[in-house]
Amino acid sequence: MPDVRLVNVTKKYGKIVAVDNVSLHIYDKEYFSLLGPSGCGKTTLLRLIAGLVHPDEGEIYIGNKLVNDVPPEDRDIGFVFQTFALFPHMNAWDNVTYGPRVKGFNVKKAETIGHEVLEMVKLHQRLDAYPNELSGGMMQRIAVARALAAGAQLLLLDEPLGQLDAKVRNDLRYEIRRMTKDLGLTAIHVTHDQSESMVISDRIAVIKRGRILQVGSPKELYMAPKSIFIAHFIGESNFLEGYVSSINGKQLTIELRGGTEIKVIQQNMRKGEGAVLAIRPETLVVEKGRKKKRNSMLGIIQRTTFEGTNIRYEVKLENQDLVVVVKPSMIEEWLNLGEKVTVNFSPEKIRVFAYPEAGLREELTVE
Ligand SMILES: Nc1ncnc2c1ncn2[C@@H]1O[C@H](COP(=O)(O)OP(=O)(O)OP(=O)(O)O)[C@@H](O)[C@H]1O
Ligand SMILES: [Mg+2]
């Protein structure tokens, strides 16, 4: 069964270390995403698994078999690329049944598979259409159908939804996941879009500069980011700087710029140490007026943006820091520009990190 295991895999292009000592276990029948900014090495990782490039160091196993020396065509992998890689001179039907035919299946079997997968991607009506007669979303569904029809148990998808408009992209996320689950496939999906990886994946590996920073379920990455970068890259966070002014058991008091003290629960910090608080915008509570109390700060609404589902406030705090607060627009009473407000912090929802050695700005840099 196709689980995929990488052990200390490194791939260099001259001086560029595209993949830097990566170890990773993708389970059988898992929908797994490789997520990271442009140039972080996602495609290279996928090409290593496909056998299109070779590692300088390390081992790659597919279903317990060491495949370092196995050519791509013998790895039994389906591949979907970002650009629509259909054969332009073949109609949808011929594109989809190409795999089974090349494999030498008899005509009847190839046709059965073709009908099944076209049914799955809901393009049965268009089997006579040539790629240039199909929309981008349709072409990509045909590309997925073609990969599925080839019968591989392991599907590699490189930014398969990258070129599609937002609505089609959203719908296709669910469809692709459903199809791979229905067929019991292992899928490895490359994307730089964190919201896409969140909705489509069982687990995600976040990659930066060729290295894996954290692997976890979407919920784990969102709720328990292990680094400032992950808190920044997955979802959205406010970052407030301060230092540990006192420690009482697990409770830390962080003094923020300007002197406001926030009490949080956290271990592994020392008194006097520089700290960064990571706070999700939806965990902040804003109230009209100035009601200074524990774990609160005064501020002024500096910008409001109506986003449909949510209303988004930028609040200038009294210490001049800016925080973003997001509230459900149909539920909350809206606040006005320039309004004086109190921002309340929920200590149990704040994550505290040691101030990064290279500085906060560098840590947050996406490239
Ligand atoms: N064939 C190649 N020759 C030289 N350098 C390469 C080659 N392929 C990739 N690289 C370099 O390796 C690094 C990783 O590239 P890769 O294509 O894996 O990134 P990526 O995460 O897929 O980026 P994107 O999101 O932009 O597709 C980059 O610095 C890139 O320039
Ligand atoms: Mg890429």
Side-chain angles (χ1 to χ4, degrees):
M1 282 292 103
D3 63 329
V4 175
R5 214 149 45 83
L6 281 73
V7 183
N8 303 121
V9 170
T10 293
K11 173 67 192 171
K12 295 179 190 158
Y13 292 107
K15 280 189 182 151
I16 298 168
V17 187
V19 170
D20 191 358
N21 195 26
V22 163
S23 293
L24 193 59
H25 190 179
I26 295 152
Y27 308 135
D28 182 37
K29 298 188 175 52
E30 185 170 40
Y31 205 111
F32 194 94
S33 286
L34 303 171
L35 171 69
S38 183
C40 74
K42 306 178 295 291
T43 295
T44 306
L45 260 173
L46 212 59
R47 292 170 68 83
L48 284 162
I49 295 167
L52 299 168
V53 291
H54 293 283
D56 297 315
E57 285 167 45
E59 291 94 50
I60 299 170
Y61 297 87
I62 299 177
N64 265 336
K65 183 177 170 204
L66 181 67
V67 295
N68 282 39
D69 297 321
V70 176
E73 59 274 20
D74 294 334
R75 292 192 187 193
D76 200 19
I77 286 172
F79 218 119
V80 181
F81 300 95
Q82 174 172 15
T83 46
F84 313 119
L86 296 177
F87 300 121
H89 57 284
M90 289 185 194
N91 64 23
W93 175 255
D94 290 337
N95 261 289
V96 168
T97 55
Y98 179 80
R101 283 186 282 120
V102 168
K103 278 194 173 170
F105 290 169
N106 66 41
V107 177
K108 203 161 174 58
K109 185 168 178 192
E111 286 189 349
T112 309
I113 295 171
H115 286 300
E116 269 174 20
V117 294
L118 279 168
E119 204 72 63
M120 269 188 151
V121 297
K122 303 194 187 85
L123 279 174
H124 215 245
Q125 318 303 330
R126 303 300 304 272
L127 44 91
D128 292 330
Y130 283 83
N132 66 6
E133 299 166 338
L134 296 168
S135 72
M138 289 171 180
M139 280 195 268
Q140 210 54 339
R141 271 147 68 196
I142 296 290
V144 171
R146 190 177 62 176
L148 297 176
Q153 293 295 298
L154 175 58
L155 193 59
L156 306 182
L157 307 110
D158 192 355
E159 307 261 11
L161 309 175
Q163 306 232 331
L164 306 174
D165 75 56
K167 182 81 181 99
V168 178
R169 201 162 63 211
N170 273 335
D171 295 347
L172 261 185
R173 287 172 185 176
Y174 295 106
E175 283 181 36
I176 292 180
R177 181 178 162 92
R178 179 183 52 75
M179 285 187 283
T180 59
K181 290 293 172 188
D182 284 354
L183 293 169
L185 308 184
T186 306
I188 308 177
H189 180 122
V190 158
T191 179
H192 61 265
D193 179 342
Q194 55 94 17
S195 65
E196 178 174 310
S197 72
M198 296 279 272
V199 299
I200 210 167
S201 314
D202 297 314
R203 286 190 308 150
I204 302 168
V206 183
I207 304 166
K208 188 181 182 186
R209 294 177 186 150
R211 292 188 185 186
I212 293 188
L213 297 186
Q214 190 173 349
V215 180
S217 67
K219 194 172 159 193
E220 280 163 354
L221 294 175
Y222 192 85
M223 300 290 186
K226 284 188 180 155
S227 60
I228 293 173
F229 181 79
I230 305 269
H232 175 59
F233 196 64
I234 303 277
E236 192 182 4
S237 295
N238 293 297
F239 295 102
L240 298 180
E241 296 173 41
Y243 77 98
V244 181
S245 59
S246 69
I247 300 181
N248 184 359
K250 279 188 188 173
Q251 189 177 69
L252 305 183
T253 303
I254 308 283
E255 186 176 324
L256 299 178
R257 251 204 308 254
T260 301
E261 294 194 325
I262 304 275
K263 294 196 186 303
V264 296
I265 315 291
Q266 193 88 358
Q267 289 161 294
N268 305 326
M269 294 282 292
R270 283 174 288 108
K271 193 173 169 184
E273 195 175 4
V276 176
L277 305 184
I279 307 167
R280 298 289 187 196
E282 71 276 20
T283 66
L284 289 168
V285 176
V286 265
E287 294 177 82
K288 273 187 186 186
R290 295 174 167 259
K291 302 168 194 155
K292 187 87 176 142
K293 48 193 167 185
R294 197 175 142 117
N295 280 338
S296 76
M297 245 170 139
L298 305 177
I300 287 175
I301 304 278
Q302 187 166 287
R303 178 181 288 190
T304 68
T305 313
F306 178 64
E307 296 178 327
T309 314
N310 294 319
I311 180 134
R312 177 189 176 88
Y313 300 112
E314 283 177 29
V315 183
K316 185 75 159 275
L317 299 174
E318 57 191 341
N319 71 350
Q320 302 304 307
D321 277 347
L322 200 66
V323 288
V324 172
V325 184
V326 171
K327 293 293 155 199
S329 57
M330 298 287 273
I331 295 169
E332 297 276 321
E333 186 193 351
W334 294 9
L335 298 163
N336 298 315
L337 208 61
E339 193 144 16
K340 291 177 179 167
V341 292
T342 307
V343 177
N344 297 298
F345 299 85
S346 313
E348 71 284 0
K349 290 177 185 140
I350 296 176
R351 295 192 67 82
V352 186
F353 298 100
Y355 193 86
E357 265 174 38
L360 184 56
R361 190 181 287 262
E362 164 63 19
E363 174 71 20
L364 296 178
T365 304
V366 163
E367 264 105 66

